[in-house]
Amino acid sequence: MTTANATIADWRSYPVTAVPVALTLHPGSLQVTWSDGRVSPFHDLWLRDNCPCPTCVYPVTREQMFEIADVPDDLLLVEARIEDAGVVRLGWSDGHASVFHPGWLRAHAYDAESRAERAHEQAHPHLWRSEMNQQLAGFDYEEVMTSDQVLTDWLRALRDSGLTQIRNAPTTAGSLDGLARRVAFIRESSFGVMFEVKSKADADSNAYTAFNLPLHTDLPTRELQPGVQFLYCLRNDAIGGNSRFVDGFAVAEELRRVAPACFELLTQTSVEFRNKSARNDYRCNAPIIALNDDGSYREIRMANFLRGPFDVAPEVMPQLYEAYRLFIRMTREPRLQVARRLEAGQAWVFDNRRVLHARDAFDPASGERHFQGCYLDRDELLSRLFVLERKS
């Protein structure tokens, strides 16, 4: 995108919601007054660091070539003026010039009001409990495969709620592969690119048995758990085997409210998860509840059948068991669960780093039960969605 000879170092478009009406130079910074009255300070180094000119940013890739460490220590902003359409042109003491599009500059302003506005506009997880049984977002397979708008709607629902269902899907081999690759490339694991979920006599995972599989996230033994999981039903004639889901973020939020000391312990204590077989030995130490820097939820890591012995100081051990047991008991409460049977031609698609899933026991002698599964990373979901939203 180019405007008044200003190359925007980003693939996104930035609407002009306000334009600069006054520029004031201060020692080390530029103050921008906008047409809606907002005032935004920009430090000299920040402005020089983000110069979008073709010398600083390669126009083909939109990636930066310039490094801020290379500017003189005594660099000064010596000129600032507003041009047509609100474009801001800057002149530097070393002779360099920078030109900023007003939409880009406003979108990246870091005054308190602008930062609060961005935080409000960002997508926030929609926490859910048993009401999701009625509110579950369902999407038609053929529409997802052929319509970018439906694909966008589905990925937004998956991002925000963490749990969706695909319906009216074919039950032929390769259908899951096509659905997953409609989003991005598939993440391979020790279970393969695609994994077949059947009861097996020589099972190397509890998933490949017929007994109850308690609420868990997949592969907590990996440094990065898979972000998105697909469970695609090809056939389900067996008695039992219903799926159950819990929003781990909602459980964590309730735990934070009713037992803050337990919540804090599960966010600060690393627990070892192990996944061992004759050929593999995966281990990862991480908290059960992981938070972002701002206190929001990043991920839940839980699979009791893959957990190693707790390893904490003796005086902490009783408190850790209290917190761990309470968390599991809360996930078992029906008021927090979605419980459904998945039929042939349906697929669960969910955020594996947020939503815990379980399977009730089933009778393999009563009929065939055949699911397929695969993983994507959460980054791939978000990247696909960002690109789709450029068109909307």
Side-chain angles (χ1 to χ4, degrees), residues 72-348:
D73 291 342
D74 60 354
L75 180 73
L76 294 175
L77 180 58
V78 295
E79 181 186 9
R81 67 175 186 266
I82 301 169
E83 298 187 335
D84 292 344
V87 167
V88 173
R89 180 176 292 274
L90 306 178
W92 300 93
S93 57
D94 62 356
H96 192 79
S98 302
V99 182
F100 289 94
H101 181 272
W104 187 96
L105 198 61
R106 174 64 174 244
H108 294 86
Y110 52 92
D111 58 275
E113 189 175 355
S114 294
R115 296 183 75 233
E117 185 177 71
R118 283 198 297 276
H120 178 73
E121 291 173 350
Q122 288 174 355
H124 296 285
H126 166 63
L127 304 187
W128 49 264
R129 294 163 178 79
S130 61
E131 75 279 357
M132 181 59 86
N133 279 296
Q134 289 75 44
Q135 299 173 1
L136 178 66
F139 296 86
D140 181 82
Y141 177 93
E142 190 63 29
E143 291 182 352
V144 166
M145 297 298 291
T146 58
S147 167
D148 280 357
Q149 184 57 59
V150 175
L151 175 63
T152 302
D153 293 342
W154 169 44
L155 296 183
R156 281 175 180 156
L158 180 55
R159 176 198 63 189
D160 295 344
S161 73
L163 178 63
T164 63
Q165 190 178 84
I166 299 295
R167 299 165 183 166
N168 304 316
T171 56
T172 52
S175 299
L176 171 56
D177 182 86
L179 175 64
R181 295 185 191 278
R182 177 79 166 120
V183 183
F185 58 86
I186 299 170
R187 171 174 167 174
E188 187 171 7
S189 74
S190 55
F191 299 117
V193 177
M194 294 281 171
F195 48 90
E196 308 293 330
V197 186
K198 293 181 176 181
S199 178
K200 305 176 184 178
D202 59 345
D204 60 356
S205 167
N206 286 358
Y208 305 140
T209 67
F211 51 75
N212 170 66
L213 196 62
L215 286 158
H216 66 284
T217 58
D218 269 23
L219 306 191
T221 56
R222 308 314 199 263
E223 181 180 5
L224 180 64
Q225 299 180 107
V228 178
Q229 181 168 174
F230 292 73
L231 283 177
Y232 193 107
C233 182
L234 296 176
R235 187 166 182 178
N236 192 5
D237 300 327
I239 296 173
N242 284 1
S243 302
R244 286 181 290 121
F245 296 92
V246 167
D247 185 348
F249 291 175
V251 175
E253 188 67 11
E254 292 218 2
L255 184 67
R256 192 201 300 245
R257 178 176 56 83
V258 302
C262 291
F263 173 85
E264 184 174 1
L265 198 57
L266 293 186
T267 64
Q268 297 183 355
T269 305
S270 289
V271 173
E272 184 183 50
F273 292 93
R274 304 173 176 179
N275 188 196
K276 302 177 183 179
S277 70
R279 296 175 299 165
N280 301 306
D281 194 332
Y282 296 97
R283 310 180 191 196
C284 184
N285 287 274
I288 289 171
I289 303 171
L291 303 178
N292 296 309
D293 292 341
D294 63 359
S296 61
Y297 299 108
R298 183 168 71 248
E299 71 172 7
I300 303 295
R301 189 180 294 259
M302 170 64 76
N304 187 69
F305 51 91
L306 298 176
R307 180 179 55 82
F310 287 149
D311 182 9
V312 294
E315 60 272 19
V316 178
M317 192 66 74
Q319 287 80 17
L320 180 56
Y321 269 106
E322 177 188 5
Y324 182 75
R325 282 156 53 87
L326 179 56
F327 183 89
I328 291 181
R329 285 171 176 166
M330 291 176 71
T331 66
R332 294 174 176 175
E333 295 184 30
R335 68 184 181 86
L336 297 175
Q337 291 189 2
V338 166
R340 291 207 184 176
R341 178 182 174 86
L342 196 66
E343 303 293 352
Q346 298 178 341
W348 294 116

